[in-house]
Structures are given as structure tokens and as C-alpha cells.
Amino acid sequence: MRQFMDQDFLLSTDTARRLYYEAAKPLPIIDYHCHINPQDIAQDRKFDNLTQLWLGGDHYKWRVMRAAGVPEEQVTGRADDREKFRAFAKTMPQLIGNPIYHWSHLELQRAFGITRQLALETADDIFDQCREKLKDCSARKFLKQFDVKALCTTDDPADDLKWHEIIAKDQAMEAKVFPAFRPDQSINIDKPGFAAYIKRLSEVCGFAIQCVEDVRKALYQRMDYFEAHGCLCADHGLDYCMYQAPDLKQAQQAFTAAMRGEFPEKSKADAYKTFVTISCAKRYAELDWVMQLHFGCLRNNNKPQFAVLGPDTGYDAVNSRSGVENLAPLLNAFAEHGKLPKMILYSLNPSDNTAIATIMACFQGGGVPGRIQQGSAWWFNDSRPGMRAQLTELAANGVLGRFVGMLTDSRSFLSYTRHEYFRRVLCELIGEWVESGQYPDDRAQLERMVKDLCYYNTREFFGFQV
């Protein structure tokens, strides 16, 4: 019987072990999509205890705590940090099969050298050990410890990027930190607060945004500002992938209604979203940015709790009506109305894996390897089975060797162990294919492929100078 999460965790064959230790493990990390606050990096934030580092803002952990019967007071409420940690520790032994169990223990092992299993009985001792070790840790030290060469944060077009400016001027900063353009609030016209956001964007841009063309003008202005700050990519978060003929008249009617505080009818809202998204894609192509599309999420489902806690607090789910059927006409519209940018496509619904892999194949070309990518298993899918499903489907219907690999999509400085988790899953899967005779045991080719999938494809695709 194997020991729990020993050094060969998930590596079930000799080929998998060889590929992991010789090719994957030594490589640094590029995290091209995360939600780390750049202020924490600029100010080299320190954390008092593991609750601050682990449970503050981590809706993954909040969800399982609630499901295990933990009162909200000990999840997001006023309970003290030790009490919240005990509540999470008590939940942990129940999480068999959940990636949180693996992630949390990987983080304890790699960041703090703790190999004990986390449970209520060990909670106080682990809490105290980590609190002592955290006295010598900080945001930048974690980045260095995990060998992070570059990362992209998630930034609103109206942000002034002052923390990025501070980081860029700091000669002691080793990892490169880039902003990523996230225009959701200017596009999701059917969300509350749209009119207030447009007014804020007007103030930042220095002119009144009074029509759809003004929205495009404002976003282009802010793209130029982000470009001057080293931006390499944009990310669009959509509840569903929409496509409506980009009719400017309908888009304007939706905009006018939304600015009056009304919710426009769906067809007109989708016309607006489509028009602005096409406009963005055209400019991204001109800037040679990578455009990411995340879709397929049902957000803020528990309205009473949303009213209390706000968004991103653990009340989102997979959307079975993700709109994947609109992906092909949307990409075609990008091609017809400008130029198709390099893209990464993610659906939160794993049933969309085959659709994405086959749709994106229709838009490859132009001499760019892997020009349209299927994104790594995302959010509810970044488990071992979810990663294997995404990798297997991409391999069956595309060119796995050009895949740009893993990202954290996280707010935590400890989440870089997810790259290790991905690399182990990747090597495990490739090892199985080799040892079952499905691919030659060509050591040089296999090691080169694994290195590309873990690091070099990402560096080349985005243009990171690291």
C-alpha cells in the first residue's frame, strides 16, 4: 500500500515518475491568470496565521465548510481565526475525493514542511507551527519559493495600475507582474451597477460615455494604457457565451435602457455584448494580446446570502446552458469584423470539452501554433478527473503538444502547488499512454513535450520575456 501523498503521489508508472522528476518538476512557473491583489505584492504583505492566508476569500473552502455543517459565523463571520481554522480542519477528513484535500496538504508540505494530516485533532498544533513559520514569510518570498517567474493579475479597465507601477520600479522584485485587462463590467450590460460603472469609466477616460461607440472608444483608450504598463492579455468572464448579430441599433437601445437603470431585453443585451466583444477582439489582435473567454457559470444563486456577502463567496455553480453553441458564430464574427486574436477558451461545463476542441479547430491557422487554445480544467473541474478529461479530449481532437498548460485562477499565494498537481496528473496520463503502447517510449521527445506543456508553450504563446 502506498503512503499518503508520498513523493510519488499520482505517479503510478516508471515513465510518469521519470517525466515528472526529470522534465516537469525542475521548471519554473508562469501563472498567466490569477486573482492575486497586486497591492499585496507591491507591499510584500505578511500574514499573521494560516486562516488569513488560507480562508480569507477562498470560496472553495467556504463551500465545503458550509456543506459539512459549519455555521456561517465560523466561515465568513466574526469567529476568531483559530476557531475558523479548527472548523476547516474538522471538515478536512470528510473530503475524500475532493481536490481541496490534496491542495491543502500539498500547501502544508511545500510551504511549511508539515506532512501530518490536517484534522481537528492536529489543528491547533498545525496552526501554531504555521503561525511561527509565517513570521519569516511574505508575499514575495512565496513567489520566490515556488519559483514563479511571471504572473498576470486581473484588473479592471478603470484601474489606475498604480501598484503595478510600484512593482515595475522595484529593482528588488524578482518575479515579473503584469496586468490583465478584464472588461466584464463594461460588457455585462444586464448586471446591476452597469450605469454606475460607465460613469466611473467616463471619469477615468476624461469624456462622457453616451453611446456604444463611446464605450468602444473608452475601452480602446484603456487598452493603450494597459499596453503601456506591459499588458499581454485580456480576460472576459461571461455567464454564457452569447452571439447576436452585432446590430449597432439594437446595441444602442440596450445601452440607453441600461443607463436609465433598466434591464434590457435579452436579445438586445446580447447584441450589445456581441458588438463590444467583437470590438475588443479586433483591438486585441492589433496589440497581439491573448484573449481569454471564460463562460458557463451560474452566479450568485443564493440571493439572500448574496445580499449579505456579495459576489465570489461560494454561491456559484455550473451552467448547463453555457451557450457553447454560440462559440462558433462568435469566433467567426471576430474573423469577419477584424482579425482573430490568439485565444484561450474555457467552459465551466465539462460537457463542453468536445465542442470547444472541435470548434476551435475550425479557426486555427495563420502560421500561429495553437492559435486557439482550449483552456485548462477550470474552477469546479481542476481536479484529477477534471484535468484528465480535459487533457484527453484535447488530445483526441486537437494538438496536445501545443497546449499552454496550467494556471491558478486563485487569490492565494500558496496556490502554486496547483501547478505541481497539474504536472503530476499530466505525467501520469502520458506515462499511461506510453506504457500501454499508445505512444513511443522516445525519451527525448517525451521530455521535450512535457517541458513545453509545463512552461515553454506558455512563454512563447503570450510573449513573456522571462
Side-chain angles (χ1 to χ4, degrees):
M1 180 182 294
R2 291 277 298 275
Q3 294 295 312
F4 170 66
M5 290 185 68
D6 61 11
Q7 66 176 4
D8 292 336
F9 173 57
L10 297 181
L11 305 174
S12 56
T13 65
D14 289 340
T15 302
R17 287 186 282 272
R18 187 186 76 230
L19 290 175
Y20 178 71
Y21 292 118
E22 296 181 13
K25 183 180 178 181
L27 291 171
I29 288 172
I30 295 175
D31 191 22
Y32 57 86
H33 175 69
C34 76
H35 295 276
I36 284 175
N37 187 342
Q39 181 178 353
D40 290 344
I41 300 174
Q43 296 180 333
D44 200 17
R45 181 182 175 185
K46 295 179 73 71
F47 299 85
D48 294 333
N49 57 59
L50 200 50
T51 299
Q52 289 184 11
L53 187 59
W54 252 9
L55 298 175
D58 191 337
H59 50 80
Y60 285 84
K61 294 184 177 69
W62 293 349
R63 287 169 65 94
V64 296
M65 292 171 73
R66 291 174 186 135
V70 176
E72 194 65 31
E73 180 75 5
Q74 297 173 3
V75 180
T76 62
R78 296 182 179 181
D80 66 36
D81 285 349
R82 184 181 292 272
E83 185 179 355
K84 288 180 177 179
F85 186 75
R86 285 174 178 159
F88 176 63
K90 184 178 180 181
T91 300
M92 275 286 284
Q94 304 170 65
L95 298 182
I96 185 170
N98 192 308
I100 293 174
Y101 196 77
H102 291 154
W103 296 342
S104 300
H105 283 107
L106 273 178
E107 291 169 8
L108 287 174
Q109 290 182 16
R110 301 297 180 261
F112 303 106
I114 294 172
T115 58
R116 300 170 67 191
Q117 283 77 64
L118 179 59
L120 181 60
E121 295 77 13
T122 59
D124 282 340
D125 190 34
I126 289 175
F127 185 87
D128 291 335
Q129 286 186 58
C130 292
R131 183 171 59 181
E132 190 63 29
K133 290 177 181 290
L134 281 169
K135 293 178 181 179
D136 296 321
C137 296
S138 65
R140 296 190 185 189
K141 287 183 178 179
F142 283 128
L143 294 178
K144 184 175 183 178
Q145 179 180 358
F146 289 112
D147 199 13
V148 179
K149 295 299 183 185
L151 64 92
C152 296
T153 60
T154 301
D155 306 275
D156 188 273
D159 288 349
D160 60 15
L161 302 182
K162 70 173 184 178
W163 299 113
H164 284 276
E165 292 176 350
I166 291 171
I167 294 168
K169 293 176 182 177
D170 190 341
Q171 295 183 353
M173 184 67 202
E174 297 184 31
K176 293 189 177 181
V177 182
F178 302 90
F181 193 76
R182 181 75 176 238
D184 295 6
Q185 292 191 78
S186 63
I187 294 175
N188 292 333
I189 195 169
D190 48 1
K191 298 285 188 181
F194 175 82
Y197 176 77
I198 292 298
K199 291 177 182 177
R200 178 189 170 205
L201 188 60
S202 295
E203 294 172 359
V204 171
C205 292
F207 65 89
I209 299 174
Q210 299 177 322
C211 63
V212 178
E213 290 286 4
D214 287 342
V215 175
R216 174 161 56 184
K217 177 183 174 182
L219 291 176
Y220 281 16
Q221 182 190 115
R222 298 309 295 170
M223 288 180 203
D224 290 342
Y225 184 79
F226 273 59
E227 171 76 3
H229 286 75
C231 184
L232 298 171
C233 60
D235 182 51
H236 291 231
L238 307 170
D239 291 353
Y240 58 91
C241 184
M242 75 287 143
Y243 178 78
Q244 191 78 16
D247 184 299
L248 182 57
K249 181 178 179 181
Q250 285 199 331
Q252 183 59 48
Q253 289 173 348
F255 180 83
T256 300
M259 292 304 290
R260 290 198 300 259
E262 302 170 4
F263 290 101
E265 60 184 86
K266 184 177 183 300
S267 62
K268 293 180 179 179
D270 284 352
Y272 170 86
K273 292 178 186 179
T274 304
F275 183 91
V276 177
T277 302
I278 291 172
S279 299
C280 287
K282 180 179 180 180
R283 184 64 180 138
Y284 300 153
E286 293 169 353
L287 294 169
D288 197 28
W289 286 6
V290 174
M291 180 181 187
Q292 300 176 78
L293 278 182
H294 285 85
F295 62 90
C297 183
L298 284 174
R299 296 187 182 273
N300 309 318
N301 296 293
N302 188 327
K303 300 307 180 185
Q305 285 298 93
F306 173 72
V308 175
L309 298 174
D312 302 320
T313 51
Y315 298 102
D316 304 324
V318 173
N319 191 346
S320 62
R321 303 178 70 178
S322 66
V324 70
E325 70 277 5
N326 294 318
L327 183 58
L330 183 64
L331 297 186
N332 184 66
F334 291 172
E336 287 185 336
H337 291 85
K339 184 180 178 182
L340 196 67
K342 291 182 291 186
M343 295 191 69
I344 307 178
L345 310 171
Y346 313 77
S347 173
L348 197 55
N349 189 338
S351 299
D352 293 341
N353 282 341
T354 305
I356 290 177
T358 54
I359 289 170
M360 73 185 197
C362 301
F363 296 92
Q364 303 286 17
V368 180
R371 178 178 183 172
I372 312 297
Q373 293 273 339
Q374 181 183 17
S376 62
W378 168 47
W379 197 345
F380 298 122
N381 303 306
D382 54 3
S383 59
R384 177 179 175 271
M387 290 178 182
R388 286 173 64 95
Q390 183 269 334
L391 290 167
T392 301
E393 203 61 55
L394 176 57
N397 290 289
V399 182
L400 180 61
R402 298 307 313 186
F403 178 45
V404 293
M406 186 59 175
L407 66 161
T408 65
D409 190 28
S410 173
R411 294 167 175 79
S412 171
F413 286 95
L414 297 188
S415 290
Y416 291 104
T417 54
R418 295 184 192 178
H419 281 261
E420 176 185 341
Y421 192 74
F422 166 81
R423 292 175 182 186
R424 288 176 179 270
V425 170
L426 174 71
C427 292
E428 176 193 35
L429 183 59
I430 292 177
E432 290 175 10
W433 288 339
V434 171
E435 298 210 3
S436 62
Q438 298 181 62
Y439 192 87
D441 188 13
D442 182 333
R443 178 172 295 205
Q445 172 62 26
L446 289 167
E447 290 186 1
R448 182 164 55 248
M449 184 185 301
V450 167
K451 289 178 180 179
D452 286 344
L453 293 169
C454 294
Y455 182 75
Y456 292 104
N457 284 351
T458 302
R459 190 179 70 171
E460 177 185 343
F461 191 69
F462 284 83
F464 289 107
Q465 299 298 311
V466 294

